[in-house]
Structures are given as structure tokens and as C-alpha cells.
């Protein structure tokens, strides 16, 4: 029965992310060529080689681009940070975050 449950989750998630999987390579190419019509900005940093190796291994298994993975990770991290700031009633210049 566990196999059925896993398979149903697999199919549901495949359906959920189907459009992302089709559009991600196109968006990656547009970003690389600089012909993106929507406002964008490159975010760069230098990472330790073991971190890069681990990320590239995961991306190969997941069939994801670095851009897609990093964008999702940054959005998730910002959501978590904003939640923690709101939980502790933090403000920036008197404005709630």
C-alpha cells in the first residue's frame, strides 16, 4: 500500500510542477542571454567548493537548473525570515516587517 501512496504523491506533484518544468529551461535561456523583458537582477556569491559540488549533485538528480533551485531556496528563506520577524514583532524604521 505504501507504493500506491508514494505513486499518488509522485503523480500529484508531477502534475503540480508540470508547467514549471516546461518553462524553466526557456526562462534559464532567456536569463543567460540577457533578453529578459521583465525586470531582473543577477545575484551572485562565491560558495565553498563542497557546497557547489553538493548542489550540482542534487540538481543532477532533481533535473533542476541552478537558477530555479536558488530562486526557490531564496524565496523559501525570505518567507521563513519574514515569519520569524513577524512572530517577534520586529520592525524596520518603525514599519512592521
Amino acid at each position: 500500500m505504501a507504493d500506491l501512496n508514494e505513486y499518488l504523491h509522485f503523480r500529484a506533484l508531477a502534475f503540480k510542477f508540470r508547467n514549471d518544468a516546461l518553462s524553466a529551461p526557456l526562462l534559464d535561456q532567456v536569463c543567460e542571454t540577457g533578453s529578459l523583458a521583465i525586470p531582473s537582477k543577477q545575484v551572485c556569491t562565491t560558495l565553498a567548493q563542497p557546497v557547489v559540488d553538493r548542489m550540482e549533485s542534487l540538481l543532477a538528480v532533481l533535473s533542476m537548473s541552478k537558477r530555479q533551485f536558488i530562486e526557490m531556496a531564496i524565496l523559501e528563506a525570505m518567507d521563513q525570515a519574514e515569519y520569524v520577524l513577524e512572530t517577534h514583532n520586529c520592525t524596520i524604521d518603525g514599519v512592521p516587517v
Side-chain angles (χ1 to χ4, degrees), residues 5-26:
N5 187 35
E6 287 180 3
Y7 185 75
L8 292 174
H9 280 272
F10 164 71
R11 296 306 302 165
L13 292 170
F15 174 77
K16 179 179 179 179
F17 291 104
R18 182 175 295 134
N19 288 337
D20 286 348
L22 296 174
S23 62
L26 178 60

Side-chain angles (χ1 to χ4, degrees), residues 18-90:
R18 182 175 295 134
N19 288 337
D20 286 348
L22 296 174
S23 62
L26 178 60
L27 185 55
D28 291 338
Q29 183 180 15
V30 169
C31 288
E32 288 174 10
T33 61
S35 60
L36 191 60
I38 59 174
S40 64
K41 185 172 183 177
Q42 185 172 356
V43 178
C44 296
T45 190
T46 301
L47 301 172
Q49 191 61 49
V51 174
V52 175
D53 293 343
R54 183 176 171 192
M55 179 177 62
E56 289 176 348
S57 293
L58 285 170
L59 294 177
V61 170
L62 297 171
S63 298
M64 290 178 75
S65 69
K66 287 180 187 175
R67 183 208 53 80
Q68 186 181 21
F69 183 82
I70 291 169
E71 183 176 297
M72 290 176 78
I74 289 172
L75 288 170
E76 178 70 19
M78 289 190 304
D79 288 346
Q80 288 181 25
E82 288 170 350
Y83 173 77
V84 170
L85 290 168
E86 288 172 7
T87 299
H88 295 287
N89 297 316
C90 295

